[in-house]
């Protein structure tokens, strides 16, 4: 028997949410960098995009059975937790990553969590409606 969170998960919606959140948060980060700094790290953007899809799949599993409001709250907290993990945990392995710490990257992670949860909820509701 599958755990409830796995049965409630809509995989296509999760993949779509990851892709959308990757695009939205990457664009937000690039716009913030372009507006507020003179830095525009290209490699980080590519890595960010790939990881966003994986992270959104994890988030989708967490919010699969939650309401929209709860999903958005969890998504925002998830984005903030990812910031802490990525910018403080992974720097033990990738010390050069410490230069990415700051308000812009924090905002991009928050945008990621919110957009991933909102997109997942929207795509999930479309899948459910299509099956009805």
């Amino acid at each position: 028997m599958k755990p409830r969170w796995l049965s409630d998960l809509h995989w296509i919606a999760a993949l779509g949410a990851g892709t959308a959140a990757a695009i939205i948060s990457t664009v937000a980060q690039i716009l913030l960098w372009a507006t507020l700094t003179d830095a525009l790290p290209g490699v980080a953007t590519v890595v960010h995009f790939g990881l966003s899809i994986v992270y959104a799949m994890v988030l989708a599993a967490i919010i699969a059975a939650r309401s929209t409001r709860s999903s958005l709250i969890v998504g925002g907290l998830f984005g903030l937790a990812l910031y802490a993990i990525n910018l403080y945990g992974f720097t033990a392995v990738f010390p050069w990553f410490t230069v990415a710490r700051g308000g812009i990257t924090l905002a991009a992670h928050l945008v990621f969590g919110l957009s991933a949860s909102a997109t997942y909820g929207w795509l999930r509701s479309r899948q459910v409606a299509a099956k009805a």
Side-chain angles (χ1 to χ4, degrees):
M1 185 165 100
K2 289 182 186 178
R4 178 168 179 201
W5 66 266
L6 190 55
S7 327
D8 291 336
L9 183 62
H10 294 263
W11 292 100
I12 300 298
L15 182 59
T19 303
I23 293 167
I24 293 166
S25 61
T26 299
V27 168
Q29 189 167 26
I30 288 170
L31 288 173
L32 288 168
W33 275 331
T35 304
L36 303 173
T37 73
D38 58 357
L40 193 59
V43 174
T45 302
V46 173
V47 171
H48 177 260
F49 190 85
L51 287 174
S52 291
I53 294 172
V54 173
Y55 289 152
M57 299 293 273
V58 172
L59 176 59
I62 295 169
I63 64 171
R66 294 183 181 274
S67 69
T68 300
R69 181 178 179 183
S70 175
S71 292
L72 288 171
I73 292 167
V74 170
L77 293 172
F78 186 83
L80 296 175
L82 280 179
Y83 174 82
I85 292 165
N86 289 340
L87 280 295
Y88 291 92
F90 288 155
T91 54
V93 179
F94 307 107
W96 55 267
F97 204 41
T98 58
V99 299
R101 291 179 184 162
I104 290 173
T105 307
L106 179 66
H109 280 76
L110 182 60
V111 167
F112 167 79
L114 293 171
S115 61
S117 60
T119 304
Y120 176 76
W122 179 72
L123 291 172
R124 178 185 59 196
S125 67
R126 290 180 52 94
Q127 280 186 332
V128 169
K131 288 182 182 180

